Amino acid sequence: MSGHGPPPVPTGERRADGGPPPGRRAGRPDGPRRTRAGRPAAGVLKEIDPTKAVYVALAATLLGGWLLVAIDGGDFLTTETIVGIQQRSAALGIVAVGQTLAILAGSLDLSVAYLISLSSLVAAEVMAGRDGAILPAVGAVLAVSALVGLVNGTLITRLRVHAFIATLGTALILRGVIDHFYDGPAGSVPVSFQSLGYDRIGPVPVAALLWAAVAVAAWVLLRRTRTGHRIYAVGGDPEVARLSGVRTGRVVVLTHVLCSVCAGIAGLLLAARLGAGAPTVGTDGGYDLESIAAVVLGGTALAGGRGGVAGTVGGVLLLAVLDSVFNQLEVNSFFKDVVRGVVIVAAVAVYALRGRKRRAA
Amino acid sequence: MKRTIPILVVLAALLAAMAVVNPFFLEPAGFLAFVKRAAPLVILAAGQYFVIVSGEFDLSVGSLVTVEVVVAARLIDGQESATWWVLLLLVAIGALVGLVNGLVTTLLSVPSFITTLGMLLILSGAVFLWTGGAPRGALSQAFRVFGRGDLGPVPWSVVILVVVAAAAVLLMRADFGKRLMATGDNDRAAALSGVRVARTRILAFVLSGLAAAVAGILLGGFAGVSAQVGQGLEFSAITAVVLGGVVLGGGRGSVVAAMAGAFSLEALFALLNLYGISGPLEYTVQGVIIIAAVAAGAAQFPSRLRAST
């Protein structure tokens, strides 16, 4: 047992799915034609690639939504809807990018929802309506969230607490602290900072640009740096990664710090939108389970080692477009949950089917 | 069996501490009141144990409990005569939800975390879609007896708990228990030795669904009808099982320890209340203790930890 946490997805069989190099399976005669996930070599396009599948599904949903809304007598692709989709998805998108890093490394983070609430409170309390306090507030939020990530990562790697339990425990601790000190909105955010939540450049909200920046940064980290390759290696097979000289513990801690910082940024964004800190903003949005769902919808394997940020962005957009279509059709909000549940399970079932076909081949 | 001892020591210490703070706890009535309050979580933990030891998760039990209670209230709507067929229906719903969870997880190879997360969304959405946003109707007296009534000197829920616990222990001693353990430990090896791995896992999910149905029936009587009755119970149940030394990932731990973990969790809450730590800080203490307990378990038996297969 090396310094990493036990695998988050329990079955031995599924564990074997994540091969050490990104996207490639260990010990299977995959041959050279199967390259890294997201870039199948020519001639194998008939296989379903999760990252592409989610964008195909996204396009289909957009088209279907446009048709349904048109039949209903509305206009789907208005600037308003497009801005709305981006606004709705920005906060979840930022959290989901962070969650992608943790999941790729074979871990997961259930504490992000409470951390988002805490970040919004820290931001609004430090700012207290003053323009001059924006930078210290942002610094404080990033420091607090990085610390929470460090604690999560350390619990998982040093104390060998399963990621599920460690981050659930951290979530409970944060919940107790938040509920003890706050029972309603607190602090206030100056108008200049609120522009982060509401301003837009043409049809693109600033919040969406922030999300794009976070996503691109994570993509560069994963695809273009040594650290990124280590993350895939650790998620694919921690033991092999360790034997190849990767300090697996450090990698897992780093992904947790980055995941928590992403949650902190989402908290800043939500504070800007609400104009104050709110103790329930993270849990009301269901950001913990929903971010995991978006990551998995984007084709990243829950066991780690396979997938990427591009898929996650598609997954978040898909959820937001679904939401938007339902809103326009004025569908009951409970029905939305039902459909969302079906979509998530169905998508993962399709990806799993593809995995089995490969294995059989 | 060695893994069962630590949690039993912890439970004994917690119970002793409760007896010191509140002597009423030593009287049969006081003790039975505690067991009655703990019964739903203990039953849920037994159900969750089957799933966890087979190497999976069940995140849908909390929303399933809510569904059971809301459906019962809506269908019974105060009529005593409807009690019995509704009870049967509730058990059937529990089994059906578990069956679907199991089928999707095994036949479609969807990780159970996602299957049961989807089921959570579907169940909570569907039940409120059906009732129109808020629970309606009322439970009958005959239904509420299970949660709050007594059979002689013993509360009904304690009787039900004893039956469930005995059944769980017997199941784990039977062939099914051995197959379940083998499946969770190494499903490929189990399959090669002739275990029908998929069928075993599906049965584990069905048992978890049934446990949620029973817990819902007890909670409906005990706590009444609300949309929040099952909230967070999935995490409490998983926490209880893990506190009992059962390893996430499967193949390790006993059902007695899982149930003892649930009792310990309830005893801890009761104790925190007695010491005046109530409300929000309870969560903080709970979080610290869970992490500490699991960390202690990992430090104590490093050689018994599952190798990263």
Side-chain angles (χ1 to χ4, degrees), chain A residues 1-2 4-17 28 108 110 155 159-162 164-170 172-181 237-239 288-290 292-293 296 302 332-335 337-342 344-345 348-350 352-353 356 359, chain B residues 52 54-57 59 104-126 128-129 132-134 184-188 201 234-235 238-239 242 248-250 280-288 290-291 294-296 298-299 302 305-309:
Chain A
M1 200 66 201
S2 60
H4 56 76
V9 166
T11 67
E13 192 192 358
R14 257 175 229 135
R15 206 45 217 160
D17 276 358
R28 256 178 231 118
L108 90 175
L110 292 174
L155 287 174
L159 296 184
R160 294 177 186 174
V161 180
H162 193 292
F164 187 96
I165 296 296
T167 56
L168 184 62
T170 318
L172 287 170
I173 293 172
L174 292 177
R175 175 182 185 177
V177 171
I178 293 168
D179 288 0
H180 185 67
F181 289 108
D237 191 328
E239 197 55 28
D288 38 8
L289 294 179
E290 197 133 326
I292 295 174
V296 174
L302 199 53
N332 186 310
S333 71
F334 301 118
F335 184 64
D337 276 346
V338 176
V339 172
R340 206 180 289 182
V342 171
I344 292 165
V345 173
V348 178
V350 170
L353 204 64
R356 278 200 304 189
R359 243 172 282 161
Chain B
I52 288 185
S54 82
E56 307 286 345
F57 287 100
L59 297 179
V104 172
T105 301
T106 53
L107 298 188
L108 300 180
S109 336
V110 177
S112 54
F113 190 94
I114 299 298
T115 312
T116 55
L117 172 60
M119 186 55 88
L120 183 160
L121 288 171
I122 293 168
L123 287 177
S124 54
F128 290 112
L129 191 62
D185 193 27
N186 186 335
D187 51 3
R188 202 159 288 173
R201 283 211 169 105
E234 63 277 357
F235 287 125
I238 294 174
T239 304
V242 172
L248 289 181
L281 281 182
E282 218 176 82
Y283 296 116
T284 303
V285 176
Q286 192 190 347
V288 170
I290 292 158
I291 294 174
V294 176
L305 265 181
R306 231 168 97 90
S308 49
T309 44

Side-chain angles (χ1 to χ4, degrees), chain A residues 129-154:
Chain A
R130 294 165 298 162
D131 277 339
I134 290 179
L135 274 183
V138 171
V141 166
L142 295 183
V144 166
S145 48
L147 180 70
V148 171
L150 191 64
V151 169
N152 278 337
T154 311

Side-chain angles (χ1 to χ4, degrees), chain A residues 223-320:
Chain A
R223 294 295 188 196
R224 293 281 174 268
T225 69
R226 217 173 276 179
T227 311
H229 295 305
R230 285 187 187 136
I231 292 175
Y232 278 101
V234 171
D237 191 328
E239 197 55 28
V240 171
R242 193 181 64 82
L243 293 174
S244 329
V246 177
R247 296 186 201 214
T248 52
R250 281 192 190 182
V251 172
V252 172
V253 172
L254 176 74
T255 58
H256 270 281
V257 169
L258 292 175
C259 177
S260 295
V261 166
C262 284
I265 295 172
L268 282 170
L269 177 61
L270 290 170
R273 204 168 288 165
L274 296 172
T280 57
V281 65
T283 39
D284 286 349
Y287 287 105
D288 38 8
L289 294 179
E290 197 133 326
S291 65
I292 295 174
V295 170
V296 174
L297 195 56
T300 296
L302 199 53
R306 271 182 297 140
V309 172
T312 300
V313 171
V316 172
L317 282 175
L318 180 60
L319 288 177

